[in-house]
Amino acid sequence: MAQELKRKLSAILSADVKGYSRLMGEDEEWTVRTLDTFKGVMKNIIPQHRGRVVDSTGDNLLAEFVSAVDAVPAGKKAIIAVGLKKWAYPQNKPTPLFEGETR
């Protein structure tokens, strides 16, 4: 007797920090603290759009959404929120810049 195959469609959002190794080399404490703040912003936004954070080790954040209809607005909102948060930091300090992709 053949087992029933269960399928699940999801939308995946992957965000990664551009130049993470360079930023860590320049100022590790600042980079980690700033990255934690930005990840916190994103972790608050994702569940608001029927998503869940799957992994967030290092400079990566991986989230799963019920559909792309939810993932795209969450990604846009996260980019705007993190961008606005960057204005609060000193301009002479390098701040992490997330590069993301939704599939």
Side-chain angles (χ1 to χ4, degrees):
M1 182 172 176
Q3 289 184 336
E4 181 180 326
L5 181 63
K6 292 186 179 183
R7 295 179 186 203
K8 177 181 174 184
L9 294 177
S10 297
I12 304 297
L13 179 136
S14 177
D16 193 74
V17 173
K18 181 178 181 178
Y20 180 69
S21 296
R22 178 185 52 79
L23 292 170
M24 289 293 281
E26 290 175 7
D27 191 337
E28 182 177 345
E29 183 181 335
W30 171 263
T31 301
V32 170
R33 196 170 1 140
T34 306
L35 182 58
D36 286 345
T37 300
F38 291 171
K39 281 185 177 181
V41 169
M42 294 176 72
K43 287 179 178 179
N44 286 328
I45 291 169
I46 289 166
Q48 296 172 13
H49 295 272
R50 298 190 310 161
R52 70 181 185 94
V53 175
V54 177
D55 188 30
S56 66
T57 54
D59 69 328
N60 184 269
L61 188 135
L62 184 67
E64 176 188 38
F65 292 85
V66 175
S67 75
V69 172
D70 298 309
V72 171
K76 286 181 177 180
K77 190 173 182 180
I79 288 168
I80 291 168
V82 167
L84 290 173
K85 195 96 171 144
K86 285 179 76 167
W87 284 102
Y89 290 97
Q91 297 299 312
N92 64 336
K93 287 292 228 175
T95 53
L97 172 64
F98 275 106
E99 294 184 322
E101 190 171 317
T102 305
R103 293 184 177 233

